[in-house]
Amino acid sequence: MLKIAICEDMVLHQKCLQNEIEKLMTEPCEFFCFSSASLFETEISEKSICFDIVFMDIEFGTTSGIKLGREINNRYSLTQIIYVTGYPQYASEVYKTDHVWFIEKNQLGKYLPLALNKALRAIQLTKNLHLNISWQKEKFSILQKEIIYIERNLRTSEIYTLHTSYQTSEKLDSLMERLTDAFAFSHRSYIVNTEMITSLTKTQVILNDIHKIPVSRSKCTELKNAYNRFMIQ
């Protein structure tokens, strides 16, 4: 379910905006309305809540919505920000942040459908680019192109990336369903990123010039086909 935050210090405007968004949404979503910047900051910093979309008023009480936008960018780079304001003079200032759209309140009906559609498309794209997992009640979003390989060891799947590693109890078959075509089984206990392959034989694959992973007889053809698809792209 999508988490949508509305940051607007006027409660009436909050309700109006939520009503307009609900008319356009075709998938389940949960709304979080904030009438003060401090409450919103508590949610994203102390409670570490990551919103999918944030509708941000630029003059949010005494706080700059653009400043909050920068904080969102730094903490949660995948969050889609849509500025909704009655102050058109900030149209250039918002480009100091990554955002989807800048909507003047008197043009909400015209531009809200376009902005929301763009945000939803971006969210869908990031879902395809990231692997979302959980471990010991924590959630992680891993950029798929940085995954080198995944190994199943007893009841844990270890995900090795270019920078670090992650653990999850999720089985390899389940993880594989959410990975791109760049990934393939080399062995019943290993999934490898074919884009990281530097050497491939019938019994072993070398990833990123470092990692030596076994190739089983039953998975050899599957792995070679996946690797060949990558090579001709």
Side-chain angles (χ1 to χ4, degrees):
M1 181 179 292
L2 293 176
K3 290 184 172 63
I4 299 177
I6 298 177
C7 298
E8 165 63 63
D9 53 2
M10 296 184 68
V11 176
L12 179 61
H13 288 177
Q14 283 180 11
K15 292 180 179 179
C16 289
L17 180 54
Q18 180 174 336
N19 287 338
E20 292 302 314
I21 297 168
E22 286 175 337
K23 291 177 186 177
L24 298 168
M25 289 298 296
T26 57
E27 58 184 289
C29 58
E30 185 177 5
F31 288 91
F32 301 78
C33 295
F34 302 94
S35 55
S36 76
S38 61
L39 290 174
F40 177 71
E41 287 180 299
T42 297
E43 293 292 297
I44 65 171
S45 58
E46 295 179 17
K47 296 184 180 181
S48 299
I49 294 181
C50 177
F51 295 103
D52 296 290
I53 304 174
V54 174
F55 288 86
M56 179 67 70
D57 189 6
I58 290 183
E59 290 197 359
F60 189 21
T62 58
T63 303
S64 165
I66 298 173
K67 179 183 176 182
L68 287 175
R70 282 197 295 269
E71 186 174 345
I72 295 168
N73 289 162
N74 292 334
R75 288 180 178 272
Y76 307 106
S77 60
L78 300 182
T79 296
Q80 307 299 308
I81 302 173
I82 299 173
Y83 291 106
V84 181
T85 182
Y87 303 94
Q89 64 267 30
Y90 291 109
S92 297
E93 188 76 9
V94 296
Y95 284 94
K96 292 180 178 178
T97 66
D98 292 327
H99 66 284
V100 175
W101 215 283
F102 176 93
I103 306 176
E104 293 183 45
K105 288 181 178 178
N106 60 3
Q107 295 184 313
L108 190 66
K110 180 178 180 180
Y111 290 110
L112 180 61
L114 298 173
L116 193 56
N117 184 56
K118 185 177 180 181
L120 293 173
R121 281 190 285 111
I123 290 169
Q124 186 58 48
L125 178 62
T126 58
K127 284 181 179 178
N128 294 335
L129 295 178
H130 286 75
L131 177 66
N132 297 312
I133 63 166
S134 61
W135 177 250
Q136 295 181 344
K137 298 183 180 180
E138 286 191 78
K139 294 183 178 181
F140 303 92
S141 184
I142 308 168
L143 195 60
Q144 291 199 28
K145 69 178 183 180
E146 293 188 351
I147 297 174
I148 303 172
Y149 69 98
I150 306 173
E151 178 184 4
R152 185 70 177 180
N153 188 6
L154 299 178
R155 295 186 178 182
T156 302
S157 295
E158 190 92 20
I159 302 171
Y160 295 90
T161 75
L162 293 172
H163 309 292
T164 187
S165 63
Y166 302 86
Q167 291 180 314
T168 178
S169 58
E170 195 171 348
K171 294 181 179 179
L172 293 186
D173 285 336
S174 177
L175 292 170
M176 190 64 176
E177 290 177 357
R178 305 202 308 282
L179 292 168
T180 68
D181 291 341
F183 292 85
F185 280 96
S186 69
H187 183 281
R188 67 180 182 181
S189 299
Y190 291 89
I191 294 173
V192 302
N193 184 349
T194 60
E195 296 181 5
M196 298 285 184
I197 293 177
T198 50
S199 176
L200 175 60
T201 70
K202 292 182 179 180
T203 58
Q204 179 179 264
V205 59
I206 299 178
L207 305 171
N208 216 25
D209 288 321
I210 301 172
H211 308 277
K212 297 179 180 180
I213 307 299
V215 175
S216 67
R217 183 180 300 176
S218 63
K219 299 296 184 182
C220 184
T221 300
E222 176 186 334
L223 178 60
K224 285 184 176 180
N225 289 341
Y227 180 55
N228 289 335
R229 285 197 303 270
F230 163 67
M231 292 297 291
I232 64 175
Q233 286 179 357

